[in-house]
Amino acid sequence: MNRSFAARAALLAAFVSLVVFSLQTQDASAQSGNLQEIAPGVWFRLGERDMGHCNNTIIEMEDYLVVIDANFPSGASRVIDDIKAVSSKPVKYVFDTHHHGDHLYGNPLWREAGATTLAYHTVLQEIARYEPQGWRNASSTRPDVAELGLETAEPPMEVFQEIPYVIEDDTRRIELHFFGWAHTRGDGFAFLPNEKILVTGDAIANGPFNFMGHANIGNWPNVIERAKSLEFETVLPGHGPAGGREIPEGQQAFMREIHAAVSSAASEGKKLEDIVEMEDGRPAGTSVELSPAVQNWVGGNFPLQVQFTYEEISEGRPHGEILGGK
Ligand SMILES: [Zn+2]
């Protein structure tokens, strides 16, 4: 080995160890256990899909924390544990983005931990429509819900009507928004204007996770359009990984496409059984096809989504009115 080769080899080794070190430190700062640091003091937690958990966002204020979504009880326990790795501040507010069990049934755990659960006021109306039936159904399949020994879902302790509802101190501003009926009649968003982060609940999902039973499918793209007027760069969805503005763009395109495709089938006089194939009383296949651009949102529930869209269009009223009444 001549001297210049040895010098170059040593230089290369130093360079490689520097790269490895910087990758490791980058990883360490971005990920604390299950929490991914999106911006200083803002963490995103991807929910466990096999347990039905939603995603959570944890936001640090000067003296306390704000958590977006209560999750199921088992999810709430995990979030409460995970938070200990990043902050010793108490959780003061938990924002329920809507009434669904995977976003709200953990409310009793957060209250017991000293937090105030909070939602847009229409979430109470959705709870009145769908409970206690939803709670009973969940109790029959989920030990974490049954173990609480309650008769029904615990509503948010506080609701607000004026939007945006602002949580603010010297270090940060959080705006809670409502843009209309999309996934449910209570779809709340959390917006961090300084960090340009939008937390969307289930009005915007990143993947084939859209449940349309309680939705206003035709109005859903309009709600996303209003949300898009906010100046954000990062999107933290209710389900699926974090990303950027391509998530609301894609979700909106998916909603428009499914509505247009089913509308045109209906206007050609097609019946539900002409476009959705049933197996054991459940939708198992569909002839409706959407463009390659929105395939991220097309999955196993697509035939059911087509069915709900068809029912909304053929009955001329939002699907949530069909399932939940006025
Ligand atoms: Zn939901």
Side-chain angles (χ1 to χ4, degrees), residues 38-324:
I38 299 294
V42 180
W43 296 274
F44 180 63
R45 186 185 190 282
L46 206 55
E48 293 85 354
R49 294 226 45 88
D50 60 339
M51 300 183 77
H53 294 162
C54 71
N55 296 336
N56 287 92
T57 300
I58 296 102
I59 305 161
E60 185 177 39
M61 306 294 287
E62 192 168 6
D63 300 319
Y64 58 89
L65 305 174
V66 176
V67 173
I68 312 300
D69 275 319
N71 212 317
F72 270 126
S74 57
S77 304
R78 290 187 175 208
V79 177
I80 288 167
D81 277 349
D82 288 345
I83 284 175
K84 291 173 190 159
V86 296
S87 177
S88 57
K89 296 177 186 177
V91 177
K92 186 171 182 185
Y93 296 111
V94 176
F95 179 47
D96 297 328
T97 59
H98 61 294
H99 73 280
H100 286 152
D102 56 337
H103 296 258
L104 179 140
Y105 283 4
N107 274 354
L109 281 82
W110 292 107
R111 179 179 42 73
E112 282 163 20
T116 297
T117 52
L118 176 71
Y120 187 58
H121 69 108
T122 50
V123 169
L124 290 183
Q125 298 161 17
E126 292 287 63
I127 290 173
R129 259 179 212 107
Y130 296 109
E131 300 297 352
Q133 198 53 52
W135 184 268
R136 285 178 190 154
N137 293 346
S139 293
S140 71
T141 58
R142 296 191 61 99
D144 64 327
V145 176
E147 277 163 11
L148 293 180
L150 301 173
E151 293 298 313
T152 190
E154 180 173 303
M157 295 156 71
E158 283 181 18
V159 294
F160 56 91
Q161 301 207 19
E162 288 206 6
I163 44 175
Y165 180 92
V166 177
I167 300 170
E168 192 170 31
D169 64 17
D170 289 342
T171 64
R172 205 182 307 275
R173 177 181 173 90
I174 305 173
E175 298 178 2
L176 304 181
H177 286 267
F178 174 79
F179 298 110
W181 183 2
H183 175 67
T184 71
R185 281 177 259 213
D187 296 332
F189 292 76
F191 175 52
L192 280 62
N194 299 321
E195 298 79 3
K196 300 192 188 317
I197 294 171
L198 183 67
V199 192
T200 68
D202 287 357
I204 298 172
N206 186 10
F209 310 121
N210 289 297
F211 171 65
M212 300 183 179
H214 302 161
N216 185 339
I217 302 164
N219 192 49
W220 201 321
N222 303 329
V223 170
I224 297 175
E225 190 64 29
R226 286 176 211 128
K228 277 164 54 182
S229 70
L230 298 173
E231 283 188 28
F232 58 87
E233 289 168 0
T234 303
V235 175
L236 306 180
H239 297 277
R245 293 189 72 102
E246 73 285 354
I247 300 175
E249 291 296 345
Q251 163 98 8
Q252 187 181 39
F254 168 74
M255 287 296 164
R256 283 181 175 149
E257 278 198 32
I258 191 172
H259 197 268
V262 175
S263 286
S264 85
S267 65
E268 288 164 17
K270 288 186 177 159
K271 297 193 165 58
L272 180 59
E273 56 265 38
D274 296 330
I275 59 169
V276 175
E277 182 189 320
M278 302 295 281
E279 227 169 72
D280 302 326
R282 293 180 57 83
T286 177
S287 56
V288 171
E289 285 183 6
L290 305 186
S291 77
V294 300
Q295 291 305 308
N296 179 47
W297 287 266
V298 178
N301 283 330
F302 187 56
L304 180 65
Q305 293 167 335
V306 170
Q307 179 187 341
F308 285 164
T309 307
Y310 186 91
E311 289 167 352
E312 174 168 310
I313 290 165
S314 59
E315 292 204 25
R317 55 189 182 138
H319 202 277
E321 276 189 18
I322 300 170
L323 267 191

